[in-house]
Amino acid sequence: MSSLLEVDGLVKSYGGVEAVMDVSFRLDAGKLVALIGPNGAGKSTCFNMLNGQIRPNRGTIRLAGRDITGLAPHRIGRLGVGRTFQITATFGSMTVIENVAVALLSQAGRLGRLIGHATARVEGQAAALLGRVGLGAETRRPAAELAYGDLKRLELAMALASRPKLLLMDEPTAGMAPQDRAALMRLTADIARTERIGVLFTEHDMDVVFQHADRIMVLNRGRLIAEGTPAAVRADPQVQAIYLGEGFAAEPTASAPAMRAPSPATIAPDAPAAATAAPILEVANLNASYGRARILDDVSFTVAAGEVTALLGRNGAGKSTTLKAIMGLVADRRARSASGERTSPAPNRIGSLRPASATCRRTGASSPA
């Protein structure tokens, strides 16, 4: 019996840059397969070829035995390929149910009939899909009001509207709170196995990958360097060296990679002793959230004069949000001035992101920038 998705010898290059080189794999119905690798490994290029957004230089892509290589995205979608995106592609000005109705009309080739009561004809189907993803109580809310985790659920419902045989998910949990990540992937796995949908997803959160994938493929510099069960990929020395690191490989379960302090030998001998200098920035109890999804929770640190400080964390950990909060680029930011007084600078709104509280102090400034 042939696999749902068969990819053979896929090649894509841009001039002298080989983005994807001779990639071949199979994906069966009802299975979740993760495609992982460092930034620039070729994951998005692979996705875009499968989705029809770019044409491969060589190779073939077969869906349920049919050659779909190089077809336009809308034709591939109507043949049974759904997709979600790293940054949600929803219509904020529409209600939740209208978003799904548009996806249903598009699948049926009836987008030209949006005016009038065309959407009402598919509301029953849309409501059923929303109930399937846990948004049955949110149908009449504008999509712009949803928490980020619920936006991801809405996008999943829109993808399911195409009745997919294959679902492509590009970093499905990026930007989500930890509890929302786990819930979304459990929901996806349940739908995939119940409805026999094959799922191919990219992801940088290794907890998500190792807890939910039936099989893992690892790309590096456009080539597949490993493929197998989560246990086999975790133990692969080449994967450890290139992507996972020794700390993650040493974990007996799918937990977060161990963070190890550098040995004295790895620290540059001429590094300045900045830790003893007076702090130029003090951040205390910084909080921020997207609606109901908490992004920052009591973040506190200092940066000394002459010191270079790195803020590390996986995708969606809150690194960019921390920097934006310090710079005052989020709404309703509250902070204390150097004198200790609470200040409320005019917000610079970015979506619905708002820090609940913050104490940021810059040495020598009368109020935070």
Side-chain angles (χ1 to χ4, degrees):
M1 181 177 178
S2 61
S3 298
L4 170 66
L5 177 66
E6 301 175 357
V7 176
D8 290 298
L10 214 55
V11 173
K12 183 62 183 179
S13 59
Y14 298 95
V17 178
E18 298 176 341
V20 173
M21 292 301 297
D22 198 28
V23 168
S24 301
F25 62 88
R26 302 289 185 270
L27 192 156
D28 294 330
K31 298 296 184 181
L32 276 74
V33 176
L35 182 64
I36 66 173
N39 287 345
K43 304 183 296 297
S44 293
T45 301
C46 275
F47 260 51
N48 290 336
M49 285 189 283
L50 298 177
N51 191 218
Q53 292 179 319
I54 58 177
R55 292 183 62 93
N57 296 113
R58 294 197 306 275
T60 58
I61 304 166
R62 292 184 178 85
L63 178 70
R66 176 170 178 169
D67 191 342
I68 63 170
T69 312
L71 293 182
H74 71 276
R75 293 186 60 190
I76 290 176
R78 290 175 184 167
L79 289 173
V81 179
R83 180 166 181 180
T84 68
F85 297 85
Q86 179 181 355
I87 299 174
T88 53
T90 56
F91 302 100
S93 62
M94 292 183 177
T95 65
V96 169
I97 199 166
E98 285 171 344
N99 271 267
V100 181
V102 167
L104 286 165
L105 290 170
S106 175
Q107 177 63 17
R110 295 166 55 195
L111 272 181
R113 300 183 180 181
L114 280 176
I115 298 176
H117 51 269
T119 56
R121 299 176 182 176
V122 296
E123 278 197 353
Q125 299 174 61
L129 285 169
L130 289 168
R132 186 75 177 90
V133 301
L135 290 178
E138 309 289 347
T139 58
R140 302 301 172 183
R141 291 185 64 189
E145 294 181 359
L146 293 181
Y148 197 66
D150 287 341
L151 276 176
K152 290 282 191 175
R153 289 173 179 267
L154 173 57
E155 191 179 44
L156 176 58
M158 293 170 68
L160 293 174
S162 65
R163 301 185 186 89
K165 304 180 184 75
L166 171 67
L167 182 58
L168 305 175
M169 304 182 76
D170 191 356
E171 295 192 36
T173 69
M176 297 179 70
Q179 65 272 19
D180 290 332
R181 294 173 193 161
L184 181 71
M185 291 309 297
R186 284 194 301 267
L187 173 64
T188 301
D190 177 64
I191 292 174
R193 286 158 187 158
T194 300
E195 302 184 17
R196 302 291 294 165
I197 298 172
V199 177
L200 179 66
F201 69 98
T202 67
E203 186 58 67
H204 285 292
D205 186 330
M206 292 299 99
D207 287 347
V208 168
V209 169
F210 282 89
Q211 288 172 8
H212 297 284
D214 296 302
R215 200 169 84 255
I216 300 172
M217 302 183 296
V218 186
L219 272 176
N220 185 55
R221 296 183 179 179
R223 298 181 183 274
L224 276 178
I225 62 168
E227 180 180 358
T229 64
V233 169
R234 183 195 299 277
D236 188 296
Q238 190 176 12
V239 176
Q240 294 172 21
I242 291 172
Y243 191 53
L244 296 182
E246 295 179 358
F248 192 89
E251 293 290 339
T253 61
S255 58
M259 299 300 290
R260 300 177 178 177
S263 64
T266 65
I267 301 176
D270 56 349
T276 61
I280 194 171
L281 173 70
E282 297 177 66
V283 176
N285 305 115
L286 192 63
N287 291 268
S289 60
Y290 280 107
R292 296 187 296 271
R294 178 68 66 87
I295 304 300
L296 301 179
D297 190 6
D298 288 339
V299 173
S300 301
F301 61 90
T302 63
V303 178
E307 180 180 44
V308 177
T309 300
L311 184 61
L312 302 179
R314 66 185 68 181
N315 282 11
K319 305 181 298 296
S320 295
T321 301
T322 299
L323 298 182
K324 290 173 182 176
I326 292 170
M327 292 296 296
L329 297 177
V330 292
D332 295 339
R333 174 171 166 260
R334 295 178 294 170
R336 296 187 197 277
S337 68
S339 63
E341 296 179 353
R342 179 70 68 181
T343 62
S344 298
N348 186 352
R349 187 171 296 278
I350 298 180
S352 61
L353 178 66
R354 62 183 63 232
S357 63
T359 301
C360 301
R361 183 171 62 175
R362 186 178 65 187
T363 302
S366 60
S367 62

